[in-house]
Amino acid sequence: METELSQQLGIEHAIFGFTPFPAVAAAITRAGGFGVLGAVRYTAPDDLARDLDWMQEHTDGKPYGLDVVMPAKKVEGVSEAEVEAMIPPGHRQFVQETLAAHGVPALAEGEASGWRITGWMEEVARNQLDVAFDYPIGLLANALGSPPADVVARAHDRGVRVAALAGSARHARHHADAGIDIVVAQGYEAGGHTGEIASMVLVPDVVDAVGPLPVLAAGGIGSGEQMAAGLALGAQGVWLGSLWLTTEEADLHSRALTAKLLAAGSGDTVRSRALTGKPARQLRTEWTDAWDDPAGPGTLPMPLQGLLVAEALSRIQKYETPALLGTPVGQIVGRMNTERPVQAVFDDLTRGFERAVDRINRIAGRSAS
């Protein structure tokens, strides 16, 4: 699956794999794709440096990238503590009442909550970049649109391509104007933050809007046949995220969550603001239902919602509360029904792509006769 973009980047297949797990990202790169490590969970620069050191040792000298979450507009002088102080007491009470209703135990005294979704705060993301630019990353992707102009310039000065996700042709044109090198057209079906336009409509719209900039198709892609469809629509590669969650290298720290993913169908996700305050596709649970219920207080805007629910999510994950346990994931979850190594998933993708190309070639041949 070779395109002009894959040739430029020096990869065998134009398959870009986004994942929060270094072992998965490295395995994608070793398989001939382009592994992209999600940085949002790294609040401590030393932790990111440790995992990038590991990536360097386990990617066989092949290229990999980093995905950050930062706003395009710079906000000066606002600390995490000052932001957290803006959370209304009533919302905190709602969180505690919801947890109590499902019997979720408190954390032990003195135990800090786990992953805090603060990587989208500008000061955190900039600290991540200070670390990342000391490594030979080949791509910097931003999940909240175009990064600030100085970040784009800083990446280009180091020879690093910059990618940004877009949910509409209008967003994509803004990225092109901002000097972005690659636009990821992420459809409604995708996991995590996503817009309202489905991939089949979005991809050709974005290709037309920003050509000749390369476009990656994303959202609802989990087979080689779907990858072929993305290229047929004009994309130069695919961006896959959800598909890797049930690989053997993924470290979800929860057998219960893995079991929920393996059992879920394509209709078992919901696009909700419960996680971060922006619409994000995730497994539908009683937690998302509570936040989407009109009788509740409603979600807060980003970044308040993420700070509000951080400890609660840590408790839900630690105690594996079945009714509340969830994760960002796309509608492709319905095809994620077995645990396999990354290489096995990759092999299925490339074989499916070859089948699709052969099928279209046969159809074209018959049509011409």
Side-chain angles (χ1 to χ4, degrees):
M1 184 175 163
E2 190 174 86
T3 66
E4 182 179 351
L5 179 62
S6 68
Q7 292 173 344
Q8 292 172 357
L9 292 172
I11 57 177
E12 185 178 358
H13 301 290
I15 300 173
F16 296 72
F18 163 78
T19 173
F21 308 116
V24 176
I28 292 167
T29 286
R30 291 197 305 272
F34 198 107
V36 182
L37 178 65
V40 70
R41 67 191 180 98
Y42 293 98
T43 56
D46 288 348
D47 291 342
L48 178 58
R50 176 202 64 214
D51 282 356
L52 288 177
D53 283 338
W54 189 93
M55 290 279 293
Q56 279 291 106
E57 295 172 3
H58 293 84
T59 47
D60 298 339
K62 298 178 179 180
Y64 62 91
L66 191 75
D67 180 277
V68 297
V69 183
M70 64 189 307
K73 295 181 179 179
K74 188 173 182 179
V75 179
E76 299 280 4
V78 180
S79 69
E80 181 179 330
E82 289 171 322
V83 172
E84 195 157 2
M86 301 176 189
I87 298 173
H91 280 72
R92 294 188 184 279
Q93 181 179 350
F94 179 76
V95 168
Q96 297 308 317
E97 289 174 350
T98 304
L99 295 175
H102 291 274
V104 183
L107 297 176
E109 185 176 354
E111 181 180 0
S113 62
W115 172 37
R116 290 175 62 79
I117 308 170
T118 56
W120 30 255
M121 295 189 67
E122 180 158 340
E123 63 177 293
V124 176
R126 286 184 177 275
N127 288 338
Q128 293 167 349
L129 294 176
D130 288 341
V131 172
F133 284 138
D134 286 336
Y135 293 82
I137 60 173
L139 179 73
L140 174 66
N142 189 40
L144 280 184
S146 304
D150 67 297
V151 171
V152 175
R154 190 177 176 191
H156 287 167
D157 286 346
R158 288 163 173 77
V160 178
R161 285 180 170 84
V162 181
L165 276 64
S168 71
R170 177 176 59 84
H171 292 157
R173 283 190 289 268
H174 175 76
H175 297 339
D177 292 341
I180 299 302
D181 305 291
I182 301 169
V183 176
V184 181
Q186 179 171 278
Y188 172 81
E189 308 95 324
H193 295 125
T194 188
E196 299 179 344
I197 304 174
S199 299
M200 187 63 71
V201 174
L202 179 65
V203 173
D205 278 356
V206 171
V207 169
D208 289 345
V210 302
L213 278 184
V215 173
L216 302 179
I221 299 175
S223 72
E225 289 81 358
Q226 291 168 314
M227 295 194 310
L231 267 61
L233 294 173
Q236 287 200 35
V238 294
W239 176 276
L240 310 181
S242 298
L243 191 65
W244 316 108
L245 289 174
T246 52
T247 58
E248 292 179 359
E249 292 88 344
D251 189 11
L252 289 177
H253 298 295
S254 172
R255 292 305 305 169
L257 180 55
T258 298
K260 289 188 76 170
L261 288 169
L262 294 172
S266 57
D268 292 328
T269 69
V270 63
R271 190 167 165 268
S272 171
R273 297 178 184 268
L275 186 63
T276 67
K278 283 185 175 292
R281 186 170 297 285
Q282 55 205 280
L283 281 179
R284 181 176 182 178
T285 66
E286 293 188 28
W287 176 259
T288 62
D289 287 348
W291 283 105
D292 295 338
D293 188 339
T299 56
L300 297 170
M302 183 183 266
L304 300 181
Q305 183 72 14
L307 290 170
L308 169 65
V309 303
E311 181 178 332
L313 295 179
S314 293
R315 290 166 60 182
I316 292 167
Q317 291 165 4
K318 176 178 180 178
Y319 298 110
E320 298 189 329
T321 310
L324 304 181
L325 190 63
T327 186
V329 69
Q331 291 178 331
I332 198 64
V333 69
R335 298 181 66 97
M336 295 159 46
N337 47 27
T338 58
E339 284 186 88
R340 297 178 296 165
V342 166
Q343 184 65 60
V345 174
F346 217 90
D347 291 343
D348 273 357
L349 290 172
T350 54
R351 283 194 294 264
F353 178 79
E354 291 171 356
R355 285 195 302 270
V357 171
D358 288 344
R359 184 182 306 120
I360 296 301
N361 284 337
R362 289 197 302 272
I363 292 171
R366 286 196 296 270
S367 298
S369 60

